[in-house]
Amino acid sequence: MRFAHVMAAGADEPRLVLVEENRAAFVGDLFDGAPESLQDLISRGDAGLAQVSEAAASDVVWHDLDGARYASAVMNPPIVLAVGLNYAAHSSELGLKADTAPTVFTLWPNSLTGHDAITAWPRRLSESVDYEAELGVIVGTAAKDVSAEDALDHVWGYTVVNDITARDIQFSEAQWSRCKSFDGFTPTGPFVVTADEVPDPQDLHIWAVVDGQTVQDASTGQMIRSVATLVSHLSSSATLLPGTLISTGSPGGAGYSRDPQIFLRDRSVVTVGIDGIGELRTNCRIDD
């Protein structure tokens, strides 16, 4: 199944929709007491998905998605965990060593935004803003000290993430949270697909296009640590709560490392995509 958060006409708050092809149904309208957000749906477990599936098989009002305004596919997660240096090509191009343990940091909630949104930042803070296509993993059931063999049983679904980064700040500070947590620096979506739609998260084509130029083109099979390994590792020290978003790292091709370098400019358009999940577009603006 496929879900998104969209803004209904005249509405102030995004609503959860079930997506089929290019049409959507508001989940809150499917039955009395239906979940109104992805977090609510996740908290209901398999029973919640079964209710939505059963209701969607009946007489449902569908809406065209053309021109829809999207919010972040993942809203109000307990935490957003990001993994750095999880592809050998990316760690090499940044001149950073992929250590024996994953590099983990958090992304601030204000950084979350949706598909086709505008992400703006002041030029005085950074002129070295970069893109990173990443697979996002959403935890479904609480995971504590789980094995890699059992880890995927705790995954509810997957989404697309663009991990936007102010490289000059990244290399001037000892931690990476601030450089990646400007307002709007973590677009997600447009969709979240349930785990059954992705039989093997290590067999997905992932790419990024900036202003019409393909700049990243890889496979999630090139991860140094698989999704299962990451979930197991992260759960060893802290319980991963339902709804937690894990951004699993970026393949090679970052703008910082290219010759000449490619940084996001005023009115740059970035599209990152993952086969079977979707394409996420970000519109960039730089404030003077």
Side-chain angles (χ1 to χ4, degrees):
M1 301 176 78
R2 185 173 296 252
F3 296 91
H5 288 115
V6 303
M7 300 292 294
D12 295 327
E13 297 292 334
R15 297 185 65 191
L16 181 67
V17 295
L18 171 67
V19 178
E20 290 188 1
E21 297 179 351
N22 198 42
R23 64 180 189 172
F26 290 104
V27 174
D29 295 342
L30 294 180
F31 54 90
D32 289 341
E36 290 286 357
S37 69
L38 186 74
Q39 190 68 28
D40 187 3
L41 178 59
I42 291 171
S43 71
R44 302 187 189 200
D46 291 342
L49 277 178
Q51 280 185 297
V52 171
S53 179
E54 181 180 356
S58 60
D59 189 17
V60 175
V61 177
W62 293 98
H63 304 271
D64 195 328
L65 272 174
D66 287 341
R69 293 187 298 133
Y70 292 85
S72 177
V74 179
M75 300 181 64
N76 303 314
I79 194 169
V80 181
L81 297 172
V83 178
L85 311 179
N86 198 32
Y87 289 74
H90 185 55
S91 61
S92 176
E93 70 186 2
L94 293 181
L96 298 170
K97 181 181 178 181
D99 294 326
T100 54
T103 298
V104 181
F105 50 95
T106 59
L107 299 175
W108 302 348
N110 57 282
S111 69
L112 292 170
T113 192
H115 168 66
D116 209 25
I118 293 174
T119 292
W121 63 92
R123 192 181 305 275
R124 62 180 173 78
L125 285 184
S126 181
E127 294 189 75
S128 304
V129 175
D130 209 345
Y131 52 85
E132 289 186 1
E134 305 203 6
L135 172 66
V137 176
I138 298 114
V139 174
T141 56
K144 173 60 178 176
D145 206 19
V146 301
S147 67
E149 291 73 21
D150 295 332
L152 294 185
D153 293 338
H154 294 268
V155 173
W156 193 89
Y158 300 91
T159 191
V160 181
V161 178
N162 183 3
D163 180 25
I164 301 174
T165 308
R167 295 293 186 199
D168 41 3
I169 295 177
Q170 180 182 26
F171 288 106
S172 66
E173 297 182 352
Q175 50 73 41
W176 292 0
S177 291
R178 190 172 81 94
C179 69
K180 294 171 175 281
S181 294
F182 288 24
D183 292 345
F185 264 31
T186 313
T188 74
F191 312 116
V192 170
V193 299
T194 49
D196 60 299
E197 300 276 333
V198 182
D200 184 359
Q202 306 312 139
D203 187 26
L204 300 171
H205 178 210
I206 182 170
W207 71 92
V209 176
V210 176
D211 298 330
Q213 177 182 352
T214 299
V215 290
Q216 291 183 296
D217 191 0
S219 166
T220 55
Q222 297 168 340
M223 287 184 188
I224 297 172
R225 301 169 187 89
S226 68
V227 170
T229 299
L230 291 174
V231 171
S232 175
H233 174 80
L234 293 168
S235 74
S236 66
S237 54
T239 302
L240 300 179
L241 299 175
T244 294
L245 173 63
I246 305 169
S247 198
T248 57
S250 179
Y256 174 87
S257 309
R258 305 181 77 90
D259 186 14
Q261 291 179 318
I262 297 176
F263 291 124
L264 302 180
R265 303 171 296 178
D266 186 47
R267 302 197 176 273
S268 280
V269 178
V270 184
T271 302
V272 299
I274 302 176
D275 278 354
I277 301 178
E279 293 188 357
L280 169 67
R281 186 168 59 247
T282 300
N283 304 292
C284 302
R285 298 290 186 273
I286 301 178
D287 300 327
D288 289 318

